[in-house]
């Protein structure tokens, strides 16, 4: 698979404020479609992830809903361990694709290093950013990341690869 050149953080850098703006970005939509089809779908089989994703995309594209991207980024230290880390771990163990999900973790770390959102771990992230925002050090934080992020070289390298 070709390397993902841009992480999802480009949605904010591109000036998108709302989810509806980001989902209308063809490059971001391609990234998300690929992540759902090639990474999340296989990790959640036999669930019909494609059906679910179609309904989510329709909701995200609704011009009447002003759901802010910044709001989605809030509480990443609580949301990612529940929603993304188990899928990364499952795909990592299975040898399946992890590139896009790893890019989401990269984007979150980049956001927390440069423009932290509201998060219970903000104190740690502020100190981490002041000390140079060393991503390996973040992955070594046992409070933020599961042990597999320290043990599995493929998973770790996918997250650290920029």
């Amino acid at each position: 698979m070709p390397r993902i050149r841009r992480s999802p953080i480009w949605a904010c850098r591109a000036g998108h404020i709302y989810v509806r703006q980001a989902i209308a970005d063809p490059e971001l939509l391609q990234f998300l479609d690929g992540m759902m089809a090639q990474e999340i779908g296989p990790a959640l089989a036999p669930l019909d992830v494609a059906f679910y994703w179609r309904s989510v995309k329709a909701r995200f594209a609704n011009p009447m809903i002003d759901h802010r991207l910044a709001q989605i980024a809030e509480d990443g230290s609580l949301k990612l361990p529940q929603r993304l880390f188990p899928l990364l771990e499952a795909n990592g163990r299975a040898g399946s694709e992890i590139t896009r999900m790893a890019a989401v973790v990269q984007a979150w770390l980049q956001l927390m290093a440069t423009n932290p959102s509201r998060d219970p771990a903000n104190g740690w992230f502020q100190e981490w950013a002041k000390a140079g925002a060393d991503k390996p050090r973040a992955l070594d934080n046992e409070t933020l990341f599961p042990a597999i992020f320290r043990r599995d070289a493929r998973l770790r390298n996918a997250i650290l690869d920029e």
Side-chain angles (χ1 to χ4, degrees):
M1 163 167 194
R3 181 170 156 15
I4 305 298
R5 296 191 200 295
R6 292 170 47 177
S7 68
I9 201 160
W10 81 78
C12 294
R13 286 192 181 145
H16 303 317
I17 296 170
Y18 301 109
V19 172
R20 62 182 159 75
Q21 295 169 321
I23 203 75
D25 181 321
E27 192 173 357
L28 181 58
L29 181 59
Q30 180 182 9
F31 174 92
L32 294 171
D33 283 343
M35 183 171 69
M36 294 301 290
Q38 297 170 9
E39 298 180 29
I40 293 176
L44 293 175
L47 299 176
D48 190 351
V49 172
F51 174 79
Y52 172 75
W53 179 232
R54 283 191 301 275
S55 68
V56 168
K57 281 195 298 188
R59 188 175 74 238
F60 283 176
N62 186 336
M64 302 305 290
I65 299 175
D66 287 339
H67 194 58
R68 292 180 174 272
L69 292 168
Q71 182 182 357
I72 292 172
E74 290 178 4
D75 299 327
S77 68
L78 300 176
K79 292 175 184 173
L80 292 175
Q82 294 174 357
R83 299 174 185 167
L84 188 70
F85 294 172
L87 303 175
L88 261 168
E89 185 169 344
N91 282 14
R93 289 182 193 271
S96 300
E97 184 59 49
I98 57 173
T99 308
R100 291 173 186 87
M101 288 190 291
V104 171
V105 177
Q106 287 174 8
W108 177 60
L109 288 173
Q110 186 176 351
L111 175 69
M112 296 309 288
T114 58
N115 188 21
S117 65
R118 290 191 302 194
D119 193 288
N122 261 3
W124 186 87
F125 277 116
Q126 288 172 357
E127 292 301 317
W128 172 72
K130 285 179 190 174
D134 180 61
K135 289 182 184 161
R137 181 173 163 235
L139 294 182
D140 290 340
N141 184 319
E142 295 177 8
T143 304
L144 295 174
F145 293 97
I148 195 166
F149 284 59
R150 289 175 289 289
R151 288 192 321 257
D152 186 309
R154 178 176 168 259
L155 179 58
R156 188 175 180 89
N157 290 337
I159 294 168
L160 296 176
D161 183 30
E162 304 203 32

